[in-house]
Amino acid sequence: AGTSGAPAAAARPPGGGGGRKSKTTTRRAFLRNSWLGTMALGLAAFGGASIMYLWPNLTGGFGAQVEVEEQDFILEEIRANSAPYEIPTGRTWLVEYDPALDPDGQYADLTNGAPLMALYWKCVHLGCRVPWCESSQWFECPCHGSRYNRWGEWQGGPAPRGLDRFALEVRKGVVVVDTATVVTGPPRTAAVLQQSPEGPSCL
Ligand code: FES
């Protein structure tokens, strides 16, 4: 047995056993590196998705600067329909604003010289969307009966103040509403627009 084992050992090429070990090691290393690579890619994708989710929306929809339409087109629509212009993506009503009716300039900072004002359509009572009532020409909340005039100022019901609003400006003729910042609506006693209901209530 001693003589038959010796030649076999001698016949083994130098480094032969090490070669198998090396191939095995290389395969393991390859598998490990592949696994680590997959993990890294997964983490990178997850991190990217998280950042995209957490990053503030700077253009387009609610919480951003919302580019709407040509100012003249919006005014035409408001006048033709006797109704505010709705911006669903900005959760906003645009109403016509006449600075002559606001001699103290209560809303001048929000309108920036534009003949329009942007109202957040969320009721300041408990958050329902406040629709426009065609017959009264007021905003009337179906949830608990809060009512606001055409400029979103409180006229009745449980709401603690007028509708909140957003600043807007006109860039190259196009209205841009800044829905990133909600401006608290005027107190109940600070209504500027003198507007009685112009017909029956919708409630
Ligand atoms: Fe509008 Fe209550 S949510 S009146």
Side-chain angles (χ1 to χ4, degrees), residues 1-202:
T3 51
S4 62
R12 187 180 297 158
R20 278 200 297 275
K21 198 180 279 181
S22 173
K23 275 184 188 169
T24 307
T25 307
T26 305
R27 197 178 303 120
R28 278 190 190 142
F30 173 77
L31 288 172
R32 188 188 62 225
N33 289 342
S34 302
W35 182 78
L36 285 173
T38 306
M39 283 284 288
L41 280 174
L43 283 172
F46 176 74
S50 302
I51 288 171
M52 289 295 286
Y53 179 75
L54 295 171
W55 204 257
N57 181 12
L58 297 178
T59 56
F62 186 72
Q65 304 249 326
V66 180
E67 201 172 283
V68 189
E69 254 294 352
E70 297 272 345
Q71 169 191 291
D72 294 346
F73 173 79
I74 294 170
L75 278 174
E76 278 173 24
E77 287 287 301
I78 289 174
R79 290 169 185 167
N81 300 320
S82 297
Y85 187 88
E86 184 177 4
I87 312 170
T89 51
R91 302 177 199 173
T92 298
W93 292 113
L94 282 181
V95 295
E96 188 163 2
Y97 169 72
D98 180 356
L101 301 177
D102 181 15
D104 294 334
Q106 181 161 310
Y107 302 114
D109 287 349
L110 292 176
T111 51
N112 285 306
L116 295 163
M117 183 154 52
L119 308 176
Y120 188 8
W121 71 24
K122 179 178 165 187
C123 186
V124 294
H125 179 226
L126 292 177
C128 292
R129 177 183 175 280
V130 185
W132 175 248
C133 174
E134 200 175 312
S135 51
S136 69
Q137 293 284 297
W138 277 5
F139 295 95
E140 299 183 354
C141 183
C143 293
H144 314 98
S146 290
R147 302 203 291 165
Y148 311 86
N149 67 18
R150 195 171 63 242
W151 283 4
E153 298 169 319
W154 180 86
Q155 299 293 308
R161 61 178 184 276
L163 290 175
D164 293 339
R165 47 207 72 211
F166 305 112
L168 64 76
E169 62 182 347
V170 179
R171 294 183 197 152
K172 296 182 180 172
V174 173
V175 174
V176 179
V177 179
D178 180 9
T179 61
T181 305
V182 178
V183 178
T184 303
R188 282 183 170 192
T189 53
V192 173
L193 186 69
Q194 302 299 311
Q195 185 208 7
S196 300
E198 297 174 23
S201 167
C202 292

